[in-house]
Amino acid sequence: MASIPHIAVIGSLNVDLVTRTPRVPAAGETLTASSFALGFGGKGANQASACSRLSRPKLPKSSKAKPPSAKVSMVGAVGDDQFSQGMLDSLKEDGVDVSEVRIAKGKSTGTATILVEEATGENRILFTPGANGVFEEKDNLIPKDVDVVLFQMEIPLKTVLHNIEVAKAQGVQVILNPAPALPIPISIYPSIDHLIVNSSEALILSSSLENPEDAQQQLDSLSAPLLDAGVPNLIITLGSRGCYYHTLLRFSSGQPGRLIPASPVEKVVDTTGAGDAFVGAYAVKVAEGLRKRENVEVEGEGRGWVSRGVSVDEAVAWASRVAAKSVEREGARGGVPWGDEVE
């Protein structure tokens, strides 16, 4: 491992077209919106930005500032259009290495059209892949000397699955945030070290395995098929209700999962990107804990991990505080705090 751990985020880069509105119009209705803004996002880019911001102080050039706790690289593709350079520059401003980002000739940069309802802060999103769809199944996207790889599912699914297997074969820690959620092959679950989903994504994934009729009864029932499939660490985000996690170690010994209450929020301004902030924060804690990580073999149940320096409980609790702070601000990426802004 290098002097600091290296996180590679493999996923989408999109232009965000954000409209804020008092309420969402009904079918056939036209409303006057409050504002419009163009931003740079995509789940991959959002999570890379979150990882980078949360691994360093807000003023990294200050002589008194601590050095970053991780290097963060973005792996993906943008189009050869008017948006691509702005996208790359915005990531660089947050300290992200963009040398692994391709410029796809003849393609447009991906877009996300986002409606934010001002009264509640809730969002609705339409995604157009553009250059995010250029990758082939066997493209190897894993950078050299990487310690943690973080995937979503806004680039081709076959590319994601192939690179999860490549990363695991190289001994790299794999985090998957399967959004948008699609059923994935049961054979891939043992190669995922950390699976982070919201409740609806967990339902889709668990229902594609065994016992779908039990999946909605309670969180332990919802998590059981995924843990049975070989996932060592499962995290289910629950919005204002908090966060639930379960591990293969706890599951195999008959213990229930744990529910972490939501951190207090002064006022919800914008929930866009809160999930990405949570995932990025969790990834940073996984990377920081790698130096003191201890592999644990569980007889008959595969592997798991604990960290002498950072426990799953601590990582989830910190990620929850990060997500809570992010919803108090506007923007999917602009709302993500820096590392020294979260206790």
Side-chain angles (χ1 to χ4, degrees):
M1 186 183 297
S3 58
I4 58 174
H6 181 185
I7 303 170
V9 182
I10 301 177
S12 59
L13 300 99
N14 299 324
V15 179
D16 289 340
L17 309 173
V18 184
T19 299
R20 299 182 66 82
T21 176
R23 63 178 176 83
V24 176
E29 181 184 15
T30 299
L31 289 179
T32 299
S34 302
S35 65
F36 171 81
L38 185 149
F40 299 107
K43 293 197 74 65
N46 288 347
Q47 291 178 13
S49 176
C51 287
S52 189
R53 284 184 173 218
L54 292 163
S55 65
R56 64 189 67 219
K58 186 174 184 179
L59 299 174
K61 296 181 180 180
S62 168
S63 60
K64 297 181 180 180
K66 294 181 179 179
S69 62
K71 172 185 176 180
V72 180
S73 297
M74 179 70 219
V75 183
V78 293
D80 59 349
D81 56 16
Q82 67 270 37
F83 298 123
S84 58
Q85 192 58 53
M87 171 68 76
L88 299 178
D89 289 344
S90 70
L91 287 167
K92 291 177 184 177
E93 288 175 4
D94 284 343
V96 179
D97 182 344
V98 298
S99 60
E100 300 284 346
V101 177
R102 302 181 188 180
I103 297 180
K105 300 299 182 183
K107 297 289 185 180
S108 62
T109 301
T111 61
T113 302
I114 304 171
L115 286 179
V116 179
E117 191 172 44
E118 292 176 314
T120 63
E122 293 295 332
N123 66 80
R124 292 164 175 82
I125 303 173
L126 288 172
F127 169 54
T128 306
N132 295 301
V134 301
F135 298 107
E136 302 291 336
E137 177 179 357
K138 298 298 183 181
D139 284 347
N140 188 347
L141 305 181
I142 309 299
K144 295 180 180 179
D145 303 320
V146 68
D147 303 293
V148 177
V149 288
L150 171 54
F151 298 91
Q152 317 79 35
M153 287 164 56
E154 288 185 340
I155 64 173
L157 177 59
K158 290 182 178 180
T159 308
V160 172
L161 299 178
H162 170 71
N163 279 275
I164 286 175
E165 296 284 18
V166 170
K168 185 44 55 183
Q170 295 178 2
V172 176
Q173 283 280 303
V174 174
I175 304 174
L176 175 64
N177 173 221
L182 296 169
I184 59 179
I186 191 171
S187 60
I188 202 68
Y189 285 101
S191 296
I192 301 168
D193 295 291
H194 312 268
L195 182 65
I196 306 177
V197 296
N198 60 31
S199 54
S200 61
E201 291 159 356
L203 180 59
I204 291 171
L205 295 178
S206 64
S207 296
S208 69
L209 301 174
E210 298 178 355
N211 302 320
E213 68 279 2
D214 298 330
Q216 298 182 56
Q217 291 183 6
Q218 55 185 354
L219 287 167
D220 282 335
S221 295
L222 192 62
S223 65
L226 300 169
L227 295 163
D228 258 337
V231 176
N233 301 285
L234 172 66
I235 297 94
I236 303 176
T237 57
L238 303 168
S240 61
R241 292 180 292 157
C243 177
Y244 167 94
Y245 78 85
H246 211 337
T247 70
L248 193 56
L249 292 175
R250 295 175 64 88
F251 180 71
S252 61
S253 61
Q255 299 180 65
R258 294 202 61 191
L259 182 62
I260 305 295
S263 296
V265 176
E266 290 186 8
K267 179 183 179 182
V268 175
V269 174
D270 187 354
T271 62
T272 308
D276 294 332
F278 181 100
V279 173
Y282 184 87
V284 168
K285 287 302 178 185
V286 170
E288 291 176 352
L290 278 177
R291 296 181 181 282
K292 298 180 179 180
R293 183 170 60 85
E294 174 186 20
N295 284 319
V296 179
E297 293 296 331
V298 184
E299 185 177 356
E301 292 292 347
R303 73 187 186 290
W305 74 272
V306 295
S307 170
R308 297 189 186 97
V310 180
S311 69
V312 179
D313 191 277
E314 290 171 319
V316 168
W318 191 67
S320 295
R321 293 197 293 274
V322 167
K325 187 168 286 291
S326 76
V327 304
E328 296 176 343
R329 310 174 181 184
E330 288 188 15
R333 286 169 57 187
V336 177
W338 296 81
D340 58 349
E341 294 182 310
V342 186
E343 296 180 357

